[in-house]
Amino acid sequence: MSKQTKATKRPLTGEIGTQSAGPGTAAPKPAAAKKAAAKKTAAKTASKKTAAKSAVPAKAASEKAVSAKASSKKAVSAKAAPRKAAKPESHLAMVRRARKINRELADVYPYAHPELDFRNPFELLVATVLSAQTTDLRVNQTTPALFAKYPTPEDLAAAVPEEVEELIRPTGFFRAKTKSIMGLATALRDEFGGEVPGRLEDLVKLPGVGRKTAFVVLGNAFGVPGITVDTHFMRLARRWKWTESDDPVKIEAEVAEIFPKSDWTMLSHRVIFHGRRICHARKPACGACPITHLCPAYGEGETDPEKAKKLLKYEKGGFPGQRLNPPPDYPGRPAPPLGATS
């Protein structure tokens, strides 16, 4: 090889230690181009992340909408579907429940008794007539003076009406009541030898005496069983589904079919006791009631136990009873005389 040839030979690359790219290989990118490419790649990555983030709430909203739609359909379907009615209580089941109520009330009120003070059938008859449209307590506070002055039917039949009116004024409706008690006293004197009859058909003929009054007298003065359908008994018999009637005579007949005759008088006392002390007309003390498990009307009154306790009356609430002279086994306090503070 000549010297000229050696002198003119050029290196294959412009930099020492770097080989030139072979055929088919792309030439290396300058530094600026690499930087631009990196930015572009980063921008694409950021765009994908943003799109993914925005897709999450959109997906959640879509799923929520589908769920809401399904719930709506389910609600419409439930509303459209007829609700399964509770199985009605059979007559036999009602009778069993009613008798169980009577047994449990006997445990709650073993001292149940007529809440009118009386010493003989005549006093009980007059006191029961006077108890219409007032409380037994007010009658008990009134009758001591009345019976002190007119102890027999003959005495009351011969009384001056205005004097009787003044004595019984505290019981209300005193003019009509004077007419009734003087009328029945006259009938006892003239038709029954001054004695109170012991038969229903005779008692209901007396002025001011209906079936309720007659059964009070028969059951408590003569030992003849009877159901006393007063306002308390009527209310509870309906609440407990013993009857749907509001006619006292029909209620008496329907309840009489549920219970044996021997239970009638004491059943009346227990139901009336419960109605006066716990199962009140306007606000029953449901939370303090011992027979809620047997009562289909539970919840009509106050169900909170502490609040219900404040609604209890007479001995159940720690107050005096209605009688000035209660029976020896009565657990409460005697009522105060007329004009005295309790």
Side-chain angles (χ1 to χ4, degrees):
M1 186 180 292
S2 64
K3 290 180 181 180
Q4 190 179 358
T5 304
K6 285 180 181 180
T8 58
K9 192 175 182 181
R10 297 284 188 271
L12 295 176
T13 63
E15 292 184 7
I16 297 174
T18 304
Q19 295 182 348
S20 71
T25 303
K29 293 181 181 179
K34 285 183 179 180
K35 193 173 183 180
K39 283 185 178 180
K40 190 174 181 181
T41 302
K44 283 183 179 179
T45 303
S47 177
K48 286 180 180 179
K49 286 182 179 180
T50 304
K53 280 184 179 180
S54 62
V56 171
K59 186 179 180 183
S62 175
E63 289 176 353
K64 191 175 182 181
V66 171
S67 177
K69 191 173 181 181
S71 298
S72 177
K73 284 183 178 180
K74 191 180 286 184
V76 170
S77 175
K79 189 175 181 181
R83 192 174 286 181
K84 193 174 181 180
K87 188 177 180 181
E89 184 180 44
S90 68
H91 180 72
L92 178 59
M94 181 275 290
V95 170
R96 287 174 175 169
R97 180 172 57 82
R99 292 183 177 184
K100 192 168 184 181
I101 287 176
N102 183 38
R103 290 195 298 271
E104 296 202 11
L105 288 181
D107 292 334
V108 177
Y109 307 105
Y111 51 87
H113 58 268
E115 295 194 90
L116 291 168
D117 285 327
F118 69 97
R119 294 170 296 184
N120 53 58
F122 172 64
E123 289 188 355
L124 178 58
L125 178 60
V126 171
T128 306
V129 172
L130 293 178
S131 69
Q133 305 298 317
T134 190
T135 63
D136 287 357
L137 171 59
R138 185 48 57 94
V139 174
N140 292 335
Q141 292 173 327
T142 303
T143 51
L146 178 70
F147 295 141
K149 191 167 186 177
Y150 311 110
T152 67
E154 292 83 359
D155 294 326
L156 184 56
V160 176
E162 291 76 16
E163 293 178 0
V164 175
E165 288 177 2
E166 195 57 35
L167 285 171
I168 68 169
R169 183 184 290 270
T171 67
F173 304 95
F174 56 91
R175 291 191 178 89
K177 289 179 179 179
T178 294
K179 186 176 181 180
S180 293
I181 63 174
M182 289 189 67
L184 70 84
T186 301
L188 292 177
R189 181 194 64 189
D190 297 345
E191 299 175 30
F192 298 99
E195 299 291 334
V196 176
R199 299 193 313 164
L200 176 66
E201 55 268 35
D202 293 330
L203 285 169
V204 295
K205 293 177 183 178
L206 300 173
V209 178
R211 292 180 69 86
K212 183 195 83 170
T213 298
F215 282 128
V216 169
V217 174
L218 290 173
N220 297 287
F222 294 99
V224 178
I227 297 173
T228 305
V229 184
D230 70 349
T231 56
H232 302 289
F233 193 100
M234 185 184 300
R235 180 178 72 252
L236 269 60
R238 288 174 59 84
R239 275 184 180 166
W240 293 336
K241 307 299 181 185
W242 294 357
T243 179
E244 293 183 355
S245 177
D246 55 6
D247 180 341
V249 176
K250 288 183 179 178
I251 292 173
E252 178 197 321
E254 290 179 23
V255 173
E257 292 180 355
I258 299 173
F259 299 93
K261 192 172 183 179
S262 58
D263 287 352
W264 290 355
T265 299
M266 288 309 300
L267 169 73
S268 301
H269 291 324
R270 293 164 190 154
V271 173
I272 293 170
F273 256 57
H274 193 63
R276 285 174 171 169
R277 286 150 177 78
I278 297 177
C279 197
H280 312 135
R282 293 185 181 178
K283 202 169 184 181
C286 294
C289 179
I291 59 166
T292 53
H293 57 293
L294 298 170
C295 181
Y298 173 73
E300 285 188 10
E302 180 58 66
T303 56
D304 180 83
E306 292 304 316
K307 292 180 180 178
K309 283 181 183 178
K310 297 178 182 178
L311 301 175
L312 301 180
K313 296 182 178 178
Y314 303 111
E315 77 281 356
K316 290 297 182 184
F319 304 108
Q322 299 199 81
R323 294 187 66 166
L324 276 66
N325 299 296
D329 62 343
Y330 180 65
R333 291 179 285 154
L338 190 64
T341 55
S342 60

